[in-house]
Amino acid sequence: NDLISALPALLKEAEYSELYGHDLSERSTTTDVLVLKFLVANKYVVPDAHQQLLETLKWRATFNPLSAAFEETQPSKFDGLGCITEDKVNPDGEVITWNLYGQVSGKHDVVFGDTDEFLRWRVGLMEKGLQLIDFSSKRTQISQVHDYSNVSFLRMDPNAKKASKAAMAVFQRYYPELLGKKYFVNVPLIMGWMFTAMKLIAPRETIEKFVVLSHGGYLAEYVGAWVPETYGGKGPSLAEQ
């Protein structure tokens, strides 16, 4: 209630009111849910949630993520590196962002060389997924699948690391409490050891979101048979969904 009451002044200071395609100046269940996410992310400390929400709105006013998603034509070099799918069988099923960076195949300098360009593409993909979310329903988060087929962890490209780090920083700061599960599939043995070690130091809330699978064919057991056969399901390919 404190943060909702402060919202009109906050929006005036930000000079911007759109969040994930919704107008926060219009009081609704969706507005309450979105504001609550910032509170949860800040352990219900109102000043901290207020500051993060203010920063998010100012960033959106400058970055214009909806333009990146729906108005701009993104470079063809990103084709096939990511997509959005939705479980249309179960109303409360998952919306999933797929990260298929193994498709880069030696073109890291081309794909990840321009971090700003990569960010506009990746943020645009996120925004498209958010349009499939009804924040007044039980499904208020997006899950992710990271397919590590053909990805080398022994010689990870520095441009790819830089771009991925930049994207993670943006999502952590400006998209709080929007991550459902994070599925890591086709994970090589060495990375499996890394996740085991991570469980000892990472916050419990983070670890509970991670599902690490050595083979992509196991994914259907977790998200449903609607996923492609490559991932153990009976659904069409990602390109057809």
Side-chain angles (χ1 to χ4, degrees):
N1 287 334
D2 289 344
L3 191 53
I4 287 292
S5 297
L7 202 52
L10 188 155
L11 299 180
K12 184 176 180 180
E13 182 179 354
E15 298 182 336
Y16 194 81
S17 63
E18 176 273 326
L19 182 64
Y20 315 141
H22 302 276
D23 188 352
L24 295 185
S25 65
E26 299 176 0
R27 183 69 187 274
S28 65
T29 300
T30 294
T31 300
D32 290 355
V33 170
L34 293 179
V35 168
L36 181 61
K37 287 184 178 295
F38 284 81
L39 284 166
V40 172
N42 289 278
K43 302 185 184 304
Y44 293 92
V45 178
V46 175
D48 293 349
H50 183 285
Q51 182 61 30
Q52 186 178 11
L53 179 54
L54 178 62
E55 290 178 10
T56 297
L57 294 175
K58 288 183 174 180
W59 172 78
R60 293 184 72 85
T62 302
F63 192 92
N64 198 350
L66 291 180
S67 174
F70 301 108
E71 297 177 12
E72 301 168 23
T73 300
Q74 299 297 341
S76 59
K77 64 183 179 182
F78 298 124
D79 292 351
L81 298 188
C83 63
I84 302 289
T85 60
E86 177 184 14
D87 180 355
K88 297 181 180 179
V89 177
N90 179 4
D92 295 323
E94 294 177 281
V95 172
I96 295 179
T97 301
W98 299 74
N99 299 287
L100 310 169
Y101 298 159
Q103 304 295 323
V104 173
S105 185
K107 299 181 292 184
H108 292 86
D109 288 345
V110 175
V111 173
F112 299 109
D114 189 326
T115 301
D116 292 337
E117 199 172 51
F118 173 80
L119 270 180
R120 294 206 67 76
W121 167 75
R122 186 60 186 83
V123 167
L125 190 66
M126 179 66 167
E127 293 287 332
K128 289 177 181 177
L130 288 174
Q131 302 314 302
L132 300 176
I133 298 295
D134 179 359
F135 288 102
S136 64
S137 70
K138 295 180 180 179
R139 185 174 70 180
T140 67
Q141 295 179 317
I142 293 180
S143 293
Q144 296 179 5
V145 170
H146 293 261
D147 189 340
Y148 286 98
S149 297
N150 304 317
V151 175
S152 172
F153 291 91
L154 298 178
R155 46 186 177 84
M156 190 172 181
D157 182 82
N159 287 323
K161 290 173 65 176
K162 180 182 177 182
S164 296
K165 185 177 180 180
M168 286 179 60
V170 165
F171 292 139
Q172 288 175 355
R173 190 58 186 166
Y174 305 129
Y175 295 84
E177 293 299 313
L178 287 171
L179 176 64
K181 290 290 186 180
K182 201 164 187 174
Y183 301 97
F184 300 88
V185 303
N186 295 314
V187 174
L189 182 60
I190 187 173
M191 189 175 176
W193 293 340
M194 291 169 56
F195 277 106
T196 299
M198 189 185 302
K199 290 181 179 180
L200 301 176
I201 57 175
R204 178 178 58 83
E205 295 83 359
T206 300
I207 293 301
E208 287 178 347
K209 292 177 180 288
F210 288 1
V211 178
V212 182
L213 305 173
S214 60
H215 191 280
Y218 301 142
L219 183 62
E221 299 177 19
Y222 293 85
V223 301
W226 61 273
V227 297
E229 291 185 15
T230 308
Y231 298 99
K234 300 179 180 179
S237 67
L238 293 177
E240 297 173 300
Q241 292 197 37

